[in-house]
Amino acid sequence: MEEYAFCNDTFNRNLKGPTADIAALTRIAIEQTLSRSKDTHEFVVALLDKATDPAEKNALTVCEKAYYIVTNCFEQASAAFAQKDYDSMLKVERQAPRAQASCTIIYNTPPNPPNPVGQRNTHARILIAMSVVAGTLLSSSTSWLISLED
């Protein structure tokens, strides 16, 4: 239920009108994923600068790398979306879940330092999924429309 509420809220807060097509929803998902991943990366870097405990530093280093990758993926996805290159967009988006998951897994691996990015990880996971699902629908509908024109 949390996922639905978060998705619904994210889309509704960012809609430019009363309705949106799949391209608009994909754009919103990509923009929100990129924005949140950048914010989380900056948050983790700030925590890492202050960390002294070796387990905490290790976990934060994994998360810093993870969110660097997620941010990079969604910068590329945003550029591909702008070019209407939906296959390339999906290809880079699909690299993000594994990277993001590494930041969750590290906090479940002993020694378990306190997890300061738990909710951010949850939101990132949901946003990445929203982007991939919306992008897949957009790519599928575009391919379908193209095949009808041929």
Side-chain angles (χ1 to χ4, degrees), residues 18-142:
T19 62
D21 61 11
I22 192 62
L25 295 176
T26 301
R27 180 190 49 75
I28 290 168
I30 290 171
E31 287 174 354
Q32 292 304 303
T33 305
L34 180 56
S35 175
R36 291 281 183 107
S37 68
K38 284 181 178 180
D39 288 347
T40 301
H41 184 257
E42 291 171 10
F43 177 76
V44 170
V45 167
L47 291 175
L48 188 55
D49 287 343
K50 297 174 187 170
T52 57
D53 176 66
E56 180 183 19
K57 283 183 99 160
N58 180 56
L60 289 169
T61 298
V62 168
C63 289
E64 187 278 327
K65 289 177 184 172
Y67 280 97
Y68 175 84
I69 291 168
V70 172
T71 299
N72 188 311
C73 288
F74 277 88
E75 285 172 341
Q76 291 178 49
S78 181
F81 175 83
Q83 297 296 316
K84 297 185 180 186
D85 183 358
Y86 304 132
D87 291 336
S88 294
M89 175 193 73
L90 281 170
K91 184 177 179 183
V92 294
E93 284 181 353
R94 288 182 175 143
Q95 297 170 23
R98 178 174 282 157
Q100 182 280 319
S102 69
C103 186
T104 301
I105 292 167
I106 193 68
Y107 285 103
N108 296 327
T109 306
N112 302 62
N115 185 349
V117 291
Q119 184 174 29
R120 290 171 184 261
N121 279 333
T122 299
H123 289 168
R125 179 183 50 78
I126 295 168
L127 287 166
I128 291 166
M130 289 167 58
S131 296
V132 171
V133 169
T136 300
L137 290 171
L138 177 60
S139 179
S140 298
S141 67
T142 302

